[in-house]
Amino acid sequence: MTAHDAVSIIGAKRDGGELSDAQIDWAVAAFTRGEMADEQMAALAMAIVLRGMNRRETARWTEAMLRSGRRLDFTDLPRPTVDKHSTGGVGDKITLPLAPLVAACGAAVPQLSGRGLGYTGGTLDKLESIPGWRADIGPGRMREILTDPAAGCVVCAAGADLAPADRRLYALRDTTGTVESIPLIASSIMSKKIAEGTAALVLDVKVGSGAFMRTREDAYALATAMVELGADAGVDTVALLTAMDAPLGRTAGNALEVAEAVEVLAGGGPADVVELTLALAREMVALAGLDADPAAALADGRAMDHWRAMIRAQGGDPAAPLPAAAHTETLSVPSSGILTGLDARGIGIAAWRLGAGRARQGDPVQAGAGIRIHAGPGDRVIAGRPLLTLHTDTPEAFPRAFEALAESITIDTESTGGPARGPLVLDRIGPDRRGVHSGHHWTPHGQSGHSPARSGRVTGHTHPYPAADHGKNSG
């Protein structure tokens, strides 16, 4: 057996070399056991940021992180399993109506989600605003809920034994400037999603000002890398690229977004939230091999029934009033015209400053904090009428929240009409329903077999405010 050491592995990648399976296995295992020092793994991560990894290296890195912990197995369930993961955005409450909707179509949906960090919200933070609801449930209880025909879906926190190598590595990358590497981002997300035991996965990769990926090129590269990793691990995977230049729906916060999700389940809600929920549901139902119409399951109340059963199964009361913030302030329309821009990032930062998000892991969040949006891009607005209502328990937060909104609103005062919000679904990556790959064809940068995902780091991406954990905050 060839002996390995951290210095030689770091040097190999620093010099542009391709790491062997054995080198990757040793590095991940040694770091997990504490035998490879943090500063050595930080140096290796920086070398990967600068030099990249090819498809084989990225797949092996993901596999090594998977092997560092437990992998759940739901293959014996009476329903096909399918999950969804979002890279995170502002107002992204899609998991809440989506999981029960897909369960209503006949699938089992085992969704491991996370809490928010920075200006993009976390699915668990939203659900924890429901009185009594619990995020921390074990695999045995997960199986019970997934098997229950009334529920069939669960949204919960990932256990510490799922991909523990990634947990350690992400904490290190977050403090050493090595987050922005597409191979490392893709392997971080996919190691956890594969570990949760789903047979199929739909990815919602956000792109725009309120997303981790600001450019369409980077979002496509990340989506392609994750679809490839899913295929390599035997998990049927499809990705949708979706717009995140404006917030999704008309709320950003925790309880505010739960209320909006319930409106969707009741047959109403904002058109964009309904559109994206149905688009993702159709992909999930198709991957699960089910002949079902998500739109019908939403319209006839079956999705709402599964929502209520899921919330009750995790200790919550779906009929209980949701928390409300103690204080509100309104931002009025400054001048009449067409609202042409409502910047997702500015809205997200304002909601975060109001208390809906956290700056550090472990910080508390306010269940009732956030922003209600009264008009969206393309709408005609009239001066003096409410545009945004800000909610918080800490009124001293209002001035800084208003600061974040100062450059976030654009109104065309001369136009008599304006285009509605642009396309929500921008692209699709993965096999179509005939098994044929769909999506753009990449022209590699002069390297056969290497996409931009492998040959460089994320471009055009800076975060002067704490960014979301791309792999942990959303579901």
Side-chain angles (χ1 to χ4, degrees):
M1 178 182 293
T2 303
H4 297 285
D5 67 274
V7 174
S8 63
I9 293 173
I10 294 165
K13 182 50 69 177
R14 177 201 63 205
D15 296 338
E18 183 176 328
L19 299 181
S20 70
D21 290 352
Q23 286 175 314
I24 291 170
D25 292 348
W26 183 90
V28 173
F31 177 64
T32 305
R33 294 192 301 263
E35 297 171 7
M36 183 177 184
D38 284 359
E39 56 267 28
Q40 291 175 317
M41 180 52 84
L44 178 57
M46 183 60 76
I48 291 169
V49 169
L50 298 174
R51 292 294 193 172
M53 289 197 293
N54 63 27
R55 177 172 178 172
R56 182 202 56 78
E57 288 175 291
T58 307
R60 190 67 179 203
W61 189 276
T62 305
E63 184 182 338
M65 291 199 293
L66 267 170
R67 287 200 305 268
S68 72
R70 178 179 185 177
R71 184 171 180 176
L72 301 179
D73 183 2
F74 295 118
T75 55
D76 60 336
L77 290 181
R79 296 166 160 230
T81 55
V82 61
D83 186 19
K84 163 258 183 188
H85 177 80
S86 168
T87 55
V90 178
D92 185 8
K93 72 276 296 171
I94 300 298
T95 289
L96 279 61
L98 180 64
L101 173 58
V102 175
C105 291
V109 185
Q111 182 137 0
L112 302 181
S113 295
R115 293 176 175 83
L117 183 63
Y119 62 82
T120 61
T123 299
L124 299 185
D125 294 322
K126 303 180 205 303
L127 286 168
E128 284 178 334
S129 69
I130 300 172
W133 187 87
R134 299 191 308 274
D136 297 315
I137 60 174
R141 182 58 181 149
M142 279 185 69
R143 179 177 293 277
E144 291 173 359
I145 298 171
L146 292 171
T147 306
D148 179 2
C153 55
V154 61
V155 181
C156 63
D161 59 350
L162 292 183
D166 177 67
R167 189 183 301 269
R168 283 203 66 205
L169 179 58
Y170 188 85
L172 183 68
R173 289 168 53 215
D174 195 36
T175 58
T176 57
T178 53
V179 168
E180 292 159 3
S181 158
I182 284 176
L184 291 177
I185 294 169
S187 60
S188 174
I189 292 171
M190 292 302 290
S191 63
K192 292 185 290 291
K193 301 311 287 186
I194 296 166
E196 74 178 23
T198 188
L201 176 65
V202 175
L203 300 162
D204 179 5
V205 181
K206 304 291 188 190
V207 56
S209 72
F212 185 77
M213 293 294 164
R214 303 290 176 79
T215 71
R216 190 159 169 174
E217 180 182 39
D218 283 340
Y220 188 92
L222 175 61
T224 301
M226 292 193 292
V227 168
E228 290 174 352
L229 288 174
D232 292 341
V235 176
D236 293 333
T237 307
V238 165
L240 298 183
L241 264 60
T242 65
M244 185 40 68
D245 284 314
L248 263 175
R250 294 299 177 94
T251 57
N254 296 311
L256 291 171
E257 291 192 44
V258 172
E260 189 167 85
V262 172
E263 288 177 14
V264 171
L265 288 163
D272 58 345
V273 178
V274 175
E275 177 188 347
L276 186 53
T277 299
L278 289 174
L280 291 165
R282 291 186 183 107
E283 295 288 351
M284 293 172 73
V285 167
L287 283 184
L290 297 167
D291 182 15
D293 180 7
L298 188 62
D300 65 18
R302 283 178 287 152
M304 177 68 90
D305 292 341
H306 281 262
W307 161 264
R308 290 170 176 153
M310 179 186 75
I311 297 302
R312 284 193 293 265
Q314 294 183 235
D317 180 357
L322 292 168
H327 304 275
T328 62
E329 290 275 355
T330 298
L331 176 65
S332 299
V333 176
S335 53
S336 297
I338 302 298
L339 182 64
T340 55
L342 191 62
D343 182 61
R345 188 164 176 268
I347 297 292
I349 291 171
W352 166 50
R353 289 178 175 178
L354 291 168
R358 56 176 63 82
R360 293 177 300 275
Q361 291 285 4
D363 285 354
V365 297
Q366 296 177 28
I371 298 176
R372 184 173 297 280
I373 302 162
H374 300 288
D379 290 348
R380 171 164 289 282
V381 293
I382 298 175
R385 291 193 178 176
L387 179 59
L388 304 171
T389 301
L390 284 61
H391 300 245
T392 187
D393 292 331
T394 49
E396 62 272 19
F398 282 127
R400 294 196 69 233
F402 280 116
E403 287 176 11
L405 297 170
E407 304 297 326
S408 300
I409 298 159
T410 307
I411 297 174
D412 183 347
T413 59
E414 298 183 2
S415 174
T416 58
R421 181 173 179 161
L424 194 55
V425 178
L426 305 173
D427 209 341
R428 181 185 185 278
I429 299 94
D432 65 21
R433 289 167 195 177
R434 298 168 296 164
V436 179
H437 183 83
S438 63
H440 292 307
H441 173 70
W442 275 109
T443 302
H445 295 240
Q447 297 181 346
S448 177
H450 291 252
S451 77
R454 311 302 193 269
S455 58
R457 58 187 181 269
V458 178
T459 59
H461 177 82
T462 56
H463 278 297
Y465 298 92
D469 175 340
H470 53 76
K472 297 180 177 67
N473 77 313
S474 293

